[in-house]
Amino acid sequence: MAHKGKAVLFRELNKPVVVEEILVDSPKRGEVTVKMAACGVCHSDLSAVNGTIPLPPPLVLGHEAAGEIVEVGEGVTEFAVGDHVVSNFIYMCGTCRFCAGGRPVLCVEQGKALVTPREGTTRTHDSAGKPLGIFSGCGVMAEYATVSMANVVKIDKAIPLDRAALVGCAVTTGVGAVFNTARVEPGSSVVVFGCGGVGLNTIQGAAIAGAQIIVAVDTVESKLVYAKTFGATHTLLLKPGEDPVKELKKMTGGGADYAFECVGNGELSGTAYKAIGRGGKAVIVGVARGSEMISVKQPSMVFEEKTLQGSMFGSCVPRVDFPRMLGLYMAGRLKLDELITRRYSIDEAPQAFADMQSGKNARGVIVF
Ligand code: NAD
Ligand code: ZN
Ligand code: ZN
């Protein structure tokens, strides 16, 4: 049985996303079909459309969604029709040395399951029957998606699906960068560059971890207001071409213990490194174009034991971290309600992307 429904597509480089009716095949062995309830709009979706993250069109966008399972493929015993799930944009083979070693975000099979299921065929077609790729093993900005069971995580049915969706990327990426990648200790000083969906979650992760100083940096003033809601103790409005390092060093008593780049800019990543002090760690979360470089003073790394580290999907283990994030939400310790500035219908998707580009929302969410 094929499922017919609307989806948000990347058809042409640098052109607005389009909403089309698509056909989604029934699940094959090890796969499930999910009827989506909501999907967050992440900057990485936009980065595919503008070529920053090179993925070939035509592509069904979306990698931050939640919904209900409507069909299970052969051999699937872990999931049943009616289960609620959150999408996971990291394909995990489960057996490579990184999966087996507890670091599935580094799974060596990921590249094979980036825009199609791992074996290379496709479950998704346009109305003319032409195959469509799926964004990072997901393609969940759609009413239906058939994905590998490695790309979904079962969640508690008591959790509202529009809030749960955010755990599929922004929350786990931001909070995970703090908890898992950096392992921020209580009393630390933290600087966060970029207060979008990812940066705001980095800020709230730092607050939960007990950081003492949390400086939020953004180029859009309204983002700094959101940052305060999520736990920033200080804010800095960055003007184009301005170097904030001196000011940040002053705010953090000589340099931060941790700085997080949540924008996706090579030069700003270097600024994050400069903003940390002795023994500090700069964590790069934003994804820049492949041509961008990070430049740092070599001796500073030695004499000051500074660290420059990347963070992929908050160094998470989805089946451990998704329930952990949602548990914190249910306990009133993690803010999800406040993250959703605006809900859009699927037909309003082009507007949702434009609003993200102009920095309007903490997070925009498409509800189906
Ligand atoms: P977003 O568009 O919601 O937020 C980006 C924020 O950065 C905006 O508030 C914007 O005003 C601000 N900004 C832009 N230029 C700036 C500058 N020079 N200095 C300070 N702030 C600036 O984006 P998002 O969804 O939060 O994603 C942020 C980045 O993280 C993107 O590059 C995205 O691709 C990446 N990302 C990485 C991972 C990962 O696994 N590492 C996961 C998700 C997203
Ligand atoms: Zn994302
Ligand atoms: Zn693997």
Side-chain angles (χ1 to χ4, degrees):
M1 183 174 64
H3 300 268
K4 204 173 182 179
K6 284 181 181 174
V8 180
L9 264 63
F10 158 38
R11 280 255 180 221
E12 255 189 283
L13 207 60
N14 291 315
K15 291 273 159 61
V17 298
V18 290
V19 181
E20 284 180 25
E21 192 83 33
I22 65 163
L23 289 167
V24 177
D25 293 346
S26 284
K28 293 208 165 148
R29 189 173 182 81
E31 298 175 349
V32 297
T33 300
V34 185
K35 185 176 193 302
M36 293 302 161
C39 181
V41 183
C42 175
H43 206 102
S44 300
D45 293 302
L46 181 63
S47 291
V49 179
N50 66 28
T52 301
I53 298 177
L55 292 173
L59 196 71
V60 181
L61 293 168
H63 61 280
E64 184 181 274
E68 186 177 326
I69 293 199
V70 291
E71 247 192 288
V72 297
E74 202 189 317
V76 176
T77 53
E78 194 188 328
F79 298 95
V81 170
D83 282 350
H84 286 190
V85 292
V86 169
S87 62
N88 156 35
F89 68 87
I90 294 291
Y91 175 77
M92 310 172 285
C93 77
T95 53
C96 75
R97 75 183 173 98
F98 293 103
C99 282
R103 299 179 76 184
V105 298
L106 302 180
C107 176
V108 298
E109 295 293 314
Q110 239 174 74
K112 291 183 194 154
L114 211 51
V115 294
T116 66
R118 187 180 173 185
E119 96 296 337
T121 56
T122 162
R123 307 288 166 269
T124 314
H125 306 273
D126 67 12
S127 56
K130 294 215 172 93
L132 297 167
I134 50 173
F135 185 104
S136 206
C138 288
V140 289
M141 201 172 278
E143 288 175 315
Y144 291 95
T146 294
V147 297
S148 164
M149 64 178 181
N151 289 97
V152 288
V153 175
K154 201 190 299 190
I155 61 158
D156 184 340
K157 282 192 180 170
I159 301 161
L161 286 167
D162 56 350
R163 263 58 52 93
L166 303 172
V167 166
C169 184
V171 174
T172 304
T173 298
V175 177
V178 173
F179 286 10
N180 302 328
T181 314
R183 298 184 175 271
V184 169
E185 304 93 3
S188 305
S189 56
V190 172
V191 176
V192 178
F193 294 87
C195 304
V198 173
L200 291 171
N201 279 294
T202 306
I203 290 167
Q204 75 165 329
I208 295 167
Q212 190 186 149
I213 298 171
I214 305 172
V215 188
V217 184
D218 206 290
T219 48
V220 176
E221 190 131 38
S222 58
K223 291 301 184 100
L224 300 177
V225 179
Y226 295 138
K228 287 263 185 190
T229 311
F230 286 88
T233 58
H234 300 67
T235 58
L236 184 68
L237 181 67
L238 194 58
K239 302 208 174 72
E242 204 174 50
D243 183 358
V245 171
K246 226 178 181 177
E247 185 64 23
L248 290 171
K249 288 216 158 162
K250 207 160 34 165
M251 289 168 129
T252 54
D257 297 318
Y258 299 93
F260 295 86
E261 200 275 8
C262 303
V263 176
N265 175 319
E267 194 185 334
L268 197 65
S269 300
T271 304
Y273 178 86
K274 283 186 204 141
I276 55 172
R278 293 175 165 263
K281 185 178 271 193
V283 180
I284 311 306
V285 182
V287 183
R289 278 184 191 273
S291 56
E292 291 196 31
M293 308 291 278
I294 304 176
S295 161
V296 300
K297 279 201 174 125
Q298 196 274 359
S300 69
M301 214 170 228
V302 184
F303 295 136
E304 298 171 43
E305 289 200 342
K306 290 165 77 162
T307 306
L308 182 61
Q309 184 171 3
S311 178
M312 181 62 188
F313 201 7
S315 311
C316 76
V317 176
R319 286 176 192 188
V320 176
D321 286 286
F322 288 12
R324 175 154 77 133
M325 300 302 160
L326 292 169
L328 283 168
Y329 168 68
M330 294 304 267
R333 305 281 312 279
L334 183 98
K335 294 185 167 73
L336 295 182
D337 304 343
E338 295 83 346
L339 267 177
I340 306 178
T341 315
R342 187 170 160 192
R343 290 171 174 80
Y344 301 84
S345 72
I346 189 159
D347 291 319
E348 291 172 319
Q351 187 61 46
F353 276 78
D355 287 349
M356 179 172 57
Q357 202 156 15
S358 63
K360 265 201 187 126
N361 299 328
R363 203 50 145 192
V365 172
I366 292 171
V367 289
F368 302 107

